[in-house]
Amino acid sequence: MSIDTSRRSFLKSGAAAATAMMAAAAAQAGIPAAKVEKWDEEFDVVIVGSGFAGMACALKAGQAGLKVLMIEKMPTVGGNSAICGGNVACPVNPVQKAQGIKDSKELFIADCLKDGLGINHTNLLATIADRCNDTIKMVVDCGCEFVPNKMLFEGGHSVPRSYEIKAGTGSGYIMPMHEVLKGMKNVVIRTRCKFDDFVMGEDGSVVGIVCREGYRFNAKAVSDDLENKTGKKKTVKALKGVMLAAGGFSRDIWFRQVQDPRVVPTTDSTNQPGATAGVLLKALGIGAAPVQLCWLQFLPYCNPHEKGFGVSVNFTNHACMDLGLVVDRKTGKRFMDEHAGRKIKADALFKVIGTDQNYPIAVCDDAIVKAINPSFVKLPLEMGTVKKFDTLEALADHFKINKAAFLEEVKKFNGFVKSGEDKDFNRILKFNNGLDVSKAPFYGIEVCPKIHHTMGGVMINEKAQVISTMTQAPIKGLYAGGEITGGVHGASRLGTVAVIDALTFGMIAGEGFAAMK
Amino acid sequence: MSIDTSRRSFLKSGAAAATAMMAAAAAQAGIPAAKVEKWDEEFDVVIVGSGFAGMACALKAGQAGLKVLMIEKMPTVGGNSAICGGNVACPVNPVQKAQGIKDSKELFIADCLKDGLGINHTNLLATIADRCNDTIKMVVDCGCEFVPNKMLFEGGHSVPRSYEIKAGTGSGYIMPMHEVLKGMKNVVIRTRCKFDDFVMGEDGSVVGIVCREGYRFNAKAVSDDLENKTGKKKTVKALKGVMLAAGGFSRDIWFRQVQDPRVVPTTDSTNQPGATAGVLLKALGIGAAPVQLCWLQFLPYCNPHEKGFGVSVNFTNHACMDLGLVVDRKTGKRFMDEHAGRKIKADALFKVIGTDQNYPIAVCDDAIVKAINPSFVKLPLEMGTVKKFDTLEALADHFKINKAAFLEEVKKFNGFVKSGEDKDFNRILKFNNGLDVSKAPFYGIEVCPKIHHTMGGVMINEKAQVISTMTQAPIKGLYAGGEITGGVHGASRLGTVAVIDALTFGMIAGEGFAAMK
């Protein structure tokens, strides 16, 4: 179906004008291909962004022998993926089977829907469940290492289903994948190269991009996307198409506040400074359907005294929230299921923090610290955000916790762990997801949520093709994966699902390019 | 600031090509003005849509002597405004003052934020509060009639602050405003005329539209916007600009499900069939910033046996929810504050309805029916959706309510009304917002929520100017008001606030056109 043919009637006469007109109308925004004087370069596939989705796409397209350009506006590859926690959900995997953990595609989808408030695009969740073991194989083949025979039981999931990345961060994927890609002669990776716009074919397809080489991101700009004019323009033809893997907009001061006015310019985020909305907004301009853009996710394990992601997130999450407890210092008591989904916990934390910055205290003990990855506690202790005490009394004194009530609460919590039943908040304890907090030394840290992930983005289908509002069908030549897309997570995502999401749809996009004639 | 100058470098040579290129880039989508062979017509102001926002804008621009075209794709004017409830919030008004009701701008904003989950654009709420008395004067001057000296106490508002429209529906504004506009020689109103696209100036401004006259909306199409090719193309120049007043997308089968996949094609809506996303999506295509598109509101006073808005909404809302009670037929008990905001009530209703269509029963008595507008009960009784009974026992038998528990519950409710304190759901009863349900005959009706209002839309500022994602500044020549905009209501709007929203920003847009040199 063409939506443009009838527009010829009011065009300036002449076939050329009609053609240009058609292009402008069909392509909506972007640069009409007819206006590009010359293509500076030509590739089969152009990938915008170099995090999980970009790397996975480059890998699959590169392995198929396609000529690939992956651009990254920042000075180093990896985007936010390189600094994230890196553990990865994989429903129904061999480790679960070996350990007798019963999981299913349906259970995975149900867990995601619960935290996502029921508005997830379940076709995309089903795709992840169907393909996640292929995704894990892909990254392991690149040299990614997981902690052997270990399944993490992450917040909001009903069963342990997440692999733990040995490196302790997403760099555990980015570095080996980057190495593999560097070894491919048909793959070009270009940092400090910023996407500027799409080049559109007459039929409304994406046929290339305009970018700037030698771009220098300005972290001090209010809006780098608007203000930064550095770099040299280049046109790049994409014979098979363009893949958007440009991430979310947690650091986009303006656009995040348009969606949620409570988020002010000073609101901190766990994300790297390049996480802006520029590419997403250009995609909307060529008719990519926006999905659930107004849901911002707060990571509920951050520390108010660290900037950005900081160094203590893994400690607070895996030591204190997975196994220990969190208390309100005013009451000395717990106030939430520490193992709930992120939205539930962030909402509960905000309520306690209130307007007087009453940051809750996350607590664990020596036995717990011995049970987690040693790297999780080392740096935060050195930096001083995690504090170590010989007694729970000393911990309470230091953080000004209501002491008597707190000691009583720890005793009560230990009882819950022993009985396997949390009578106060119904936390799941059957997977030993709680340890008796009784063995000195004891550890404590202040907790606050920070903006972590923007749920919404462009709409994709199961093939990672971007869907147009103008045709309700795929925009030819345009793929997307990872945080720039919306729908997978609905209103709120569970931990470790973003990693599998980005890797899987990146892989699928790469396979799609590879399968093209 | 120009974002396009640097693009010249890769343009085809020649000034004309450069100019066209600039236009395409700056204007994003839409039709470049340079490509319009001839303008079929020329007006100062072109208004897309003829509901509250469109009428108010036409009125103000028309009164200023501007040449105005207001187009409406449906066969009759008024859009969804003509069939809505029509009562209108007006914080801090003379009737409140005469009755000793203390209200404030701040209280109005706080009430809206509560149901809006804190994400409302409060600058827009403040504008409404500042201008609402002017808005009321404007419509009264047109001949709109309110019930004298009456302030409705609508759900979610902390105080009575809404005028009751005498006509009982939004036609009480549309009809007199239409009459006034028909008397203006400088205002042209054209039905069956569909907006197709924007025509964009070289500087990225909106300079006109392309529309189709003699268009015949096809209610049987899955997507009328995509499928319907009827009508004759026309280009219309808008010397001062274009006003978007095209309403929401509660009837857009595809786009509403993209935002909330729980809403399936068969999900009923209170809206007229023309409430689709076509104009909104074209606006996004020229860079209008999307705001909170994924929040759909369900009206919690509908009837499952009526199609669409039906005839019983006012009865269920004003008789049973404002003054009576609502019970779960399985338990015979109340399950919510019947006077809460729409989101809270819709969520509570969905929970009771469950998967077995256990529609709750709304109940009132003769004294309540005597206290409301007689028109609210007449038609639903005739149509048979409201049923009348001599005893509460007979009512319980008819609707298969757990009788003993129900009779006990009514007694308890009557006690709450007497004491002025709802011990179960903390409903505000101090404004006599509850009547003793004891005087035969008794009335009952089944209740279910239907999609009613789409919260999100394009971003506007306090002057009703549409904001661009590409510049974070107004798109020159583009205004919007009413349901096509987002931000005013946040996640969920209170009853009677949409009417004042649409009328006020329509008025402001009209004033803006009038003030242009």
Side-chain angles (χ1 to χ4, degrees):
Chain A
M1 159 181 36
S2 163
I3 54 166
D4 310 298
T5 315
S6 58
R7 288 183 180 158
R8 286 172 190 243
S9 57
F10 54 91
L11 296 176
K12 277 192 172 166
S13 57
T19 304
M21 179 66 222
M22 292 270 294
Q28 295 210 79
I31 318 284
K35 300 289 169 191
V36 174
E37 188 176 357
K38 71 172 180 68
W39 293 102
D40 294 311
E41 290 183 281
E42 186 176 295
F43 289 85
D44 291 314
V45 176
V46 175
I47 301 169
V48 181
S50 66
F52 294 141
M55 291 268 175
C57 178
L59 191 74
K60 284 291 166 186
Q63 284 169 346
L66 300 182
K67 207 180 150 199
V68 175
L69 170 67
M70 179 163 68
I71 66 170
E72 167 58 54
K73 73 176 175 185
M74 303 306 277
T76 54
V77 297
N80 219 66
S81 302
I83 62 164
C84 80
N87 301 319
V88 59
C90 185
V92 193
N93 68 58
V95 179
Q96 285 180 317
K97 198 176 174 191
Q99 299 185 358
I101 298 165
K102 282 191 183 157
D103 198 3
S104 70
K105 179 175 170 175
E106 293 68 31
L107 188 61
F108 169 69
I109 293 174
D111 287 347
C112 291
L113 280 168
K114 190 177 173 194
D115 213 46
L117 302 184
I119 61 171
N120 312 54
H121 286 205
T122 51
N123 60 327
L124 302 179
L125 288 170
T127 302
I128 290 172
D130 289 340
R131 297 299 309 277
C132 57
N133 285 295
D134 298 334
T135 308
I136 297 299
K137 182 176 182 315
M138 170 184 73
V139 297
V140 168
D141 287 348
C142 285
C144 296
E145 289 185 88
F146 296 107
V147 178
N149 305 315
K150 187 165 181 189
M151 276 288 107
L152 291 171
F153 183 40
E154 291 276 328
H157 295 268
S158 299
V159 294
R161 64 161 69 98
S162 303
Y163 290 103
E164 181 174 342
I165 190 83
K166 236 184 194 168
T169 80
S171 64
Y173 307 81
I174 295 298
M175 287 173 68
M177 292 176 89
H178 190 201
E179 284 308 309
V180 172
L181 290 171
K182 281 196 285 188
M184 292 184 180
K185 286 189 177 155
N186 52 327
V187 175
V188 176
I189 300 172
R190 197 171 287 159
T191 56
R192 294 200 198 277
C193 184
K194 179 166 163 79
F195 167 91
D196 260 0
D197 215 337
F198 297 98
V199 181
M200 308 298 293
E202 287 184 17
D203 60 352
S205 61
V206 172
V207 298
I209 66 161
V210 179
C211 58
R212 275 179 281 158
E213 283 188 15
Y215 175 85
R216 298 199 157 252
F217 182 81
N218 177 8
K220 287 180 184 161
V222 176
S223 172
D224 178 78
D225 286 322
L226 238 64
E227 298 165 36
N228 193 331
K229 306 294 179 198
T230 60
K232 189 171 172 295
K233 290 267 180 191
K234 208 166 201 183
T235 53
V236 184
K237 196 167 188 176
L239 295 169
K240 290 184 186 288
V242 171
M243 162 70 175
L244 302 181
F249 57 88
S250 286
R251 288 278 190 186
D252 196 300
I253 299 297
W254 182 75
F255 195 63
R256 68 186 197 176
Q257 193 168 11
V258 166
Q259 301 309 320
D260 188 338
R262 294 169 301 184
V263 178
V264 296
T266 53
T267 304
D268 201 4
S269 164
T270 61
N271 282 204
Q272 56 103 4
T276 67
V279 181
L280 167 66
L281 297 177
K282 283 288 183 185
L284 299 185
I286 62 164
V291 179
Q292 302 165 353
L293 294 175
C294 60
W295 285 101
L296 313 183
Q297 173 168 90
F298 290 84
L299 192 71
Y301 347 108
C302 301
N303 178 274
H305 307 295
E306 293 172 352
K307 276 197 176 173
F309 196 83
V311 298
S312 64
V313 160
N314 273 323
F315 173 81
T316 304
N317 183 20
H318 296 297
C320 306
M321 291 198 183
D322 279 358
L323 299 168
L325 68 161
V326 181
V327 298
D328 176 348
R329 52 177 121 191
K330 286 185 186 168
T331 65
K333 290 181 183 301
R334 294 170 67 217
F335 53 89
M336 64 180 184
D337 168 6
E338 292 91 342
H339 195 260
R342 289 176 171 178
K343 181 170 164 49
I344 294 166
K345 287 197 288 205
D347 289 348
L349 288 165
F350 278 127
K351 213 168 159 185
V352 171
I353 293 168
T355 52
D356 58 346
Q357 304 192 308
N358 175 43
Y359 298 115
I361 308 299
V363 177
C364 70
D365 75 347
D366 191 55
I368 290 175
V369 164
K370 289 214 162 71
I372 63 169
N373 188 322
S375 74
F376 293 172
V377 71
K378 193 171 169 288
L379 206 51
L381 261 183
E382 284 169 21
M383 302 293 278
T385 43
V386 167
K387 301 277 184 198
K388 194 166 153 180
F389 306 90
D390 290 334
T391 62
L392 283 169
E393 286 81 355
L395 187 151
D397 286 339
H398 175 81
F399 288 115
K400 298 190 171 58
I401 304 173
N402 180 332
K403 189 155 56 179
F406 170 63
L407 296 174
E408 204 52 51
E409 188 73 358
V410 174
K411 205 177 291 175
K412 192 169 153 196
F413 174 75
N414 290 343
F416 291 163
V417 171
K418 203 173 168 188
S419 70
E421 189 187 358
D422 175 2
K423 287 187 180 159
D424 286 343
F425 298 100
N426 208 26
R427 173 166 147 189
I428 302 173
L429 294 167
K430 66 178 172 177
F431 299 104
N432 291 321
N433 203 62
L435 278 179
D436 183 312
V437 176
S438 58
K439 195 170 155 49
F442 300 97
Y443 299 80
I445 182 169
E446 289 177 75
V447 186
C448 79
K450 294 181 184 178
I451 302 182
H452 183 58
H453 192 105
T454 48
M455 299 298 118
V458 300
M459 182 181 179
I460 56 169
N461 64 13
E462 300 88 335
K463 295 176 177 174
Q465 294 172 304
V466 177
I467 304 301
S468 164
T469 57
M470 291 298 129
T471 61
Q472 301 175 11
I475 296 172
K476 197 180 156 203
L478 190 62
Y479 290 69
E483 198 175 342
I484 199 170
T485 69
V488 168
H489 310 295
S492 174
R493 79 170 172 83
L494 296 181
T496 74
V497 178
V499 180
I500 197 70
D501 166 38
L503 287 169
T504 302
F505 284 104
M507 174 181 78
I508 289 172
E511 291 170 347
F513 289 125
M516 285 179 189
K517 304 287 176 190
Chain B
M1 160 179 36
S2 163
I3 53 165
D4 309 301
T5 315
S6 59
R7 288 185 179 157
R8 286 172 188 242
S9 57
F10 56 90
L11 295 177
K12 278 194 172 164
S13 56
T19 303
M21 179 65 223
M22 293 271 294
Q28 296 208 78
I31 318 287
K35 299 291 171 194
V36 174
E37 189 176 357
K38 70 173 180 69
W39 293 102
D40 294 310
E41 289 184 281
E42 186 176 295
F43 288 86
D44 291 314
V45 176
V46 174
I47 301 170
V48 181
S50 66
F52 293 142
M55 290 268 177
C57 179
L59 193 73
K60 284 291 166 184
Q63 283 170 343
L66 300 181
K67 208 178 149 198
V68 176
L69 171 66
M70 179 163 69
I71 65 170
E72 166 60 52
K73 74 176 174 186
M74 303 304 279
T76 53
V77 297
N80 220 66
S81 301
I83 62 165
C84 79
N87 303 319
V88 59
C90 185
V92 194
N93 68 58
V95 178
Q96 285 179 317
K97 198 176 173 191
Q99 297 184 359
I101 299 165
K102 282 191 184 156
D103 198 2
S104 70
K105 179 174 169 175
E106 292 69 30
L107 187 62
F108 169 68
I109 293 174
D111 286 346
C112 291
L113 280 167
K114 190 177 172 194
D115 213 46
L117 301 184
I119 62 171
N120 311 56
H121 286 205
T122 51
N123 60 326
L124 302 179
L125 288 170
T127 302
I128 290 172
D130 289 340
R131 298 297 310 278
C132 58
N133 284 294
D134 298 335
T135 308
I136 297 299
K137 182 176 182 315
M138 170 184 73
V139 298
V140 168
D141 286 350
C142 285
C144 296
E145 288 184 87
F146 297 107
V147 177
N149 305 316
K150 186 163 183 190
M151 277 288 105
L152 290 172
F153 183 39
E154 290 277 329
H157 295 269
S158 299
V159 294
R161 65 161 69 99
S162 304
Y163 290 103
E164 181 175 341
I165 190 82
K166 234 184 196 171
T169 82
S171 64
Y173 308 80
I174 296 298
M175 288 174 68
M177 292 176 89
H178 191 201
E179 284 307 310
V180 172
L181 290 170
K182 282 196 282 187
M184 293 183 179
K185 286 187 177 156
N186 52 326
V187 175
V188 176
I189 301 171
R190 198 171 286 157
T191 55
R192 293 200 199 277
C193 182
K194 177 164 165 80
F195 167 90
D196 261 359
D197 214 338
F198 297 98
V199 181
M200 308 298 293
E202 287 184 18
D203 59 352
S205 62
V206 172
V207 298
I209 66 163
V210 178
C211 58
R212 274 180 282 160
E213 284 188 15
Y215 176 85
R216 298 197 158 253
F217 182 82
N218 177 7
K220 287 180 186 162
V222 176
S223 171
D224 176 79
D225 286 322
L226 238 64
E227 299 165 36
N228 192 332
K229 307 295 180 197
T230 60
K232 189 171 173 294
K233 289 266 182 192
K234 208 166 201 183
T235 53
V236 184
K237 195 167 190 177
L239 295 171
K240 292 182 185 289
V242 171
M243 162 71 175
L244 302 181
F249 58 88
S250 286
R251 287 280 191 185
D252 196 299
I253 299 297
W254 182 76
F255 195 63
R256 66 184 197 178
Q257 194 168 10
V258 167
Q259 301 310 319
D260 188 339
R262 296 169 299 184
V263 178
V264 296
T266 52
T267 305
D268 201 4
S269 164
T270 61
N271 282 204
Q272 55 103 3
T276 67
V279 181
L280 167 66
L281 296 177
K282 284 287 184 185
L284 299 185
I286 61 164
V291 178
Q292 302 164 353
L293 293 176
C294 60
W295 286 101
L296 314 183
Q297 174 168 88
F298 291 83
L299 193 72
Y301 348 108
C302 301
N303 179 273
H305 307 296
E306 292 172 352
K307 276 198 174 171
F309 195 84
V311 297
S312 63
V313 160
N314 273 322
F315 173 81
T316 304
N317 183 18
H318 297 297
C320 305
M321 292 200 183
D322 280 357
L323 300 167
L325 69 161
V326 180
V327 298
D328 176 348
R329 53 178 119 192
K330 284 185 186 168
T331 65
K333 291 182 183 299
R334 294 170 66 216
F335 52 89
M336 64 180 184
D337 168 7
E338 292 91 342
H339 194 259
R342 289 176 173 178
K343 181 172 164 47
I344 295 167
K345 288 195 289 204
D347 289 348
L349 288 165
F350 276 127
K351 213 168 159 184
V352 170
I353 293 168
T355 51
D356 59 344
Q357 305 192 305
N358 175 42
Y359 299 114
I361 307 300
V363 177
C364 70
D365 75 348
D366 191 56
I368 290 175
V369 165
K370 290 213 162 69
I372 62 169
N373 188 321
S375 73
F376 292 173
V377 70
K378 193 171 168 289
L379 205 52
L381 260 183
E382 284 170 19
M383 303 293 279
T385 44
V386 169
K387 301 278 184 196
K388 194 166 153 181
F389 305 90
D390 289 333
T391 64
L392 284 169
E393 286 82 353
L395 186 152
D397 286 339
H398 175 81
F399 288 114
K400 299 190 171 56
I401 304 174
N402 179 332
K403 188 155 59 179
F406 170 64
L407 296 174
E408 204 52 50
E409 189 73 359
V410 173
K411 206 179 286 175
K412 193 169 153 195
F413 174 76
N414 289 345
F416 291 163
V417 171
K418 202 173 169 190
S419 71
E421 190 186 359
D422 176 1
K423 285 186 183 163
D424 286 343
F425 298 98
N426 207 26
R427 172 165 148 190
I428 302 173
L429 294 167
K430 67 178 172 179
F431 299 105
N432 292 320
N433 204 63
L435 279 179
D436 183 315
V437 176
S438 57
K439 195 171 155 50
F442 300 97
Y443 299 80
I445 182 168
E446 287 177 78
V447 186
C448 78
K450 294 182 184 176
I451 303 182
H452 183 58
H453 192 103
T454 48
M455 299 297 117
V458 300
M459 182 182 179
I460 56 168
N461 64 12
E462 300 87 336
K463 294 176 177 174
Q465 294 171 305
V466 177
I467 304 300
S468 164
T469 56
M470 291 298 131
T471 61
Q472 301 175 10
I475 297 172
K476 198 180 157 202
L478 190 61
Y479 290 71
E483 198 174 344
I484 198 170
T485 70
V488 168
H489 311 295
S492 174
R493 78 170 174 82
L494 296 180
T496 73
V497 177
V499 180
I500 198 70
D501 168 36
L503 287 169
T504 302
F505 284 104
M507 174 180 78
I508 289 172
E511 291 171 347
F513 289 125
M516 285 179 189
K517 304 287 176 189

